[in-house]
Amino acid sequence: LSELGFSKFLYLGEILKKNEGCIQEMVSNLIWYRKDQPFVVDKIKLDQVEALLSNQESVDTLRKVVSFREKPNSDDYLDGDNDVHYFSDSVPWAQKIESFRFVDCGAFTGDTLTSLVDISKEYDKKIDNVVLFEPEDDNRKKLIQTASQYQNFQYYIYPCGVWKENAYLRFSSNASSSAVIDDNAKDTDSYQIMCIDIDTALIGAKPNWIKMDIEGAEKEAIIGAKETIRMYSPILTIAIYHQPYDLWEIPLLIHEINPNYDMYIKAHGCFTVETVLYCIPKNIK
């Protein structure tokens, strides 16, 4: 925008302060915002999550997210940061791995893969291999085009979703990066996809980084990866904003599976969309 001649910029948070009334309209369709619904926040479990977090910034982020859920207003609005999505340089992941054995659950068209390649160059770390899960046909065609540009590492593309077990589930696509599993979807707007669990799919692969952004299926996918998480303590970067309860259920589930993690929370997007849980192993296995 600067190159195009624009000189004055306002963050969304600044605009919202001048137009307070629009906040209610904008959050009304977000799944975590339901008036008088007890599942919007669970204070007991959120206190447990807060105790697991490894720095004050993450605690403050969590509190801000919760405050905005309880009472959406400009004072509690949290602007997304400028960190690279899933590879925040304010989270101490770089010293934990020598090279990348990366698993991308929800690979979309290859946006995270492109970021991974850039990050590997920035940190001078080799990419050994990448496993990409993407069930949507059009996305996967573009993903293949993106991945084919890179010839210096092995990559494997799975035409399926990730779940707690091997199963066929209904898949509802809205022609964007968001495509959700929906058992109630009508036949006219959904179709079946094959889903597999990571423990079965990646026997012996020993991944050291697993990223999940799979539109509300993260908890089930973590259950399907529990042996991998328990055995190898891979770095985990998990979206925790799709379902209202993801904010507390996912960190507590991971801690139950493997307590060998320092945890951080980063808000990368507007309206706390793109909130990500970073799990960094305390000890490498």
Side-chain angles (χ1 to χ4, degrees):
L1 289 173
S2 296
E3 292 175 357
L4 291 173
F6 292 92
S7 59
K8 186 175 181 180
F9 303 93
L10 292 175
Y11 285 103
L12 180 58
E14 298 176 68
I15 298 172
L16 294 176
K17 289 182 185 297
K18 298 179 180 180
N19 301 275
E20 188 76 34
C22 72
I23 292 180
Q24 294 298 323
E25 293 295 326
M26 296 180 78
V27 303
S28 62
N29 292 319
L30 296 176
I31 191 170
W32 50 258
Y33 181 64
R34 297 289 188 275
K35 291 184 178 179
D36 303 320
Q37 292 293 327
F39 63 72
V40 173
V41 293
D42 186 320
K43 291 187 179 295
I44 294 176
K45 290 185 177 180
L46 283 165
D47 285 343
Q48 296 172 6
V49 173
E50 189 171 305
L52 296 176
L53 299 178
S54 296
N55 65 2
Q56 189 60 42
E57 179 188 355
S58 296
V59 172
D60 293 342
T61 297
L62 178 63
R63 290 176 178 176
K64 201 82 169 179
V65 170
V66 171
S67 294
F68 189 74
R69 284 191 182 188
E70 291 181 307
K71 187 179 179 181
N73 63 84
S74 60
D75 289 336
D76 289 319
Y77 176 76
L78 183 64
D79 268 316
D81 60 40
N82 293 317
D83 295 356
V84 179
H85 202 170
Y86 299 112
F87 301 98
S88 173
D89 57 8
S90 64
V91 175
W93 59 264
Q95 62 267 40
K96 296 295 183 176
I97 57 173
E98 298 294 329
S99 59
F100 293 96
R101 299 189 300 277
F102 195 86
V103 179
D104 189 351
C105 303
F108 190 40
T109 61
D111 50 345
T112 302
L113 175 60
T114 299
S115 294
L116 172 65
V117 171
D118 292 340
I119 288 292
S120 70
K121 295 175 181 176
E122 179 179 344
Y123 285 86
D124 193 25
K125 293 182 183 294
K126 179 184 175 184
I127 301 176
D128 294 330
N129 54 70
V130 181
V131 178
L132 304 145
F133 292 94
E134 177 50 54
E136 207 280 322
D137 289 341
D138 290 339
N139 290 343
R140 194 170 58 255
K141 290 176 183 177
K142 296 175 183 177
L143 173 62
I144 292 170
Q145 293 177 349
T146 301
S148 64
Q149 301 175 51
Y150 307 117
Q151 303 295 324
N152 57 338
F153 58 85
Q154 292 181 312
Y155 62 86
Y156 310 89
I157 298 176
Y158 282 69
C160 52
V162 184
W163 193 246
K164 62 184 176 183
E165 60 191 0
N166 296 336
Y168 282 95
L169 297 173
R170 298 217 67 81
F171 190 74
S172 179
S173 177
N174 63 4
S176 75
S177 61
S178 297
V180 298
I181 293 169
D182 183 5
D183 289 332
N184 297 316
K186 299 178 181 178
D187 289 343
T188 56
D189 57 15
S190 68
Y191 52 92
Q192 272 196 333
I193 62 167
M194 181 175 68
C195 292
I196 57 179
D197 65 90
I198 286 177
D199 286 341
T200 298
L202 303 182
I203 293 176
K206 299 181 180 180
N208 62 8
W209 194 312
I210 299 176
K211 165 253 175 177
M212 290 185 184
D213 190 341
I214 44 179
E215 309 307 324
E218 288 82 5
K219 184 177 178 180
E220 287 78 7
I222 290 167
I223 293 171
K226 62 183 179 181
E227 293 305 320
T228 300
I229 293 171
R230 185 178 293 127
M231 289 179 65
Y232 304 119
S233 294
I235 292 171
L236 303 173
T237 47
I238 313 292
I240 56 170
Y241 64 91
H242 291 116
Q243 301 289 352
Y245 46 78
D246 286 347
L247 195 62
W248 55 87
E249 294 291 356
I250 288 176
L252 294 176
L253 174 61
I254 292 171
H255 181 71
E256 179 183 350
I257 293 171
N258 185 352
N260 180 39
Y261 281 114
D262 292 322
M263 294 187 175
Y264 305 82
I265 290 178
K266 301 287 293 183
H268 294 307
C270 302
F271 285 92
T272 69
V273 174
E274 311 300 345
T275 300
V276 174
L277 174 70
Y278 288 75
C279 300
I280 310 300
K282 299 175 182 178
N283 302 299
I284 302 297
K285 293 188 177 182

